[in-house]
Amino acid sequence: MFSKLMEQFEAASAVYANANGITRDPDWFLLKLIEEAGEVTQAANRLSGRSRAKGMGEAERRQLLADETADLLGHVLLFARHHSLDLEEAIARKWRFDPRKVTADP
């Protein structure tokens, strides 16, 4: 389920890294994950009124939170891919459902 998505994020990340001269060493994957978690926190605080809105309306703040959450998800998948983690197995073990058996909504 996640392997194709991991490869798509990897391809996009590799293009970005090459275009910007970024070396993605082993530490980079963890550091980017932490950075993105901070950005999600900042966007959530902005949406909830715990931080300055910086002139953004609610719709813009919601979009920012969605964008930052997408970045975080991407970096979770990049981190898992880098470490060859089996997320499907881990989800089944930790969350007690098999994500490979989840069907899409009609």
Side-chain angles (χ1 to χ4, degrees):
M1 170 184 177
F2 289 115
S3 60
K4 183 175 181 178
L5 197 53
M6 285 179 182
E7 293 309 316
Q8 290 172 314
F9 275 100
E10 170 57 27
S13 178
V15 167
Y16 180 85
N18 288 336
N20 292 285
I22 296 169
T23 301
R24 298 180 312 151
D25 61 14
D27 288 343
W28 181 88
F29 292 94
L30 179 59
L31 294 172
K32 282 300 289 184
L33 184 61
I34 294 166
E35 177 185 338
E36 295 302 336
E39 291 177 7
V40 167
T41 303
Q42 184 178 48
N45 281 344
R46 192 164 282 147
L47 181 61
S48 69
R50 292 183 183 101
S51 182
R52 293 180 300 131
K54 291 194 170 183
M56 289 186 270
E58 183 177 354
E60 292 171 299
R61 289 179 282 147
R62 291 187 69 73
Q63 182 176 349
L64 178 63
L65 181 58
D67 290 351
E68 297 303 341
T69 301
D71 284 349
L72 180 58
L73 173 62
H75 283 284
V76 166
L77 294 175
L78 288 170
F79 181 83
R81 181 187 178 280
H82 176 75
H83 290 286
S84 301
L85 304 178
D86 185 341
L87 292 182
E88 288 93 350
E89 180 183 313
I91 289 168
R93 185 175 56 255
K94 295 288 292 183
W95 288 84
R96 301 184 190 275
F97 74 89
D98 188 342
R100 295 165 287 215
K101 295 180 182 174
V102 174
T103 59
D105 292 335

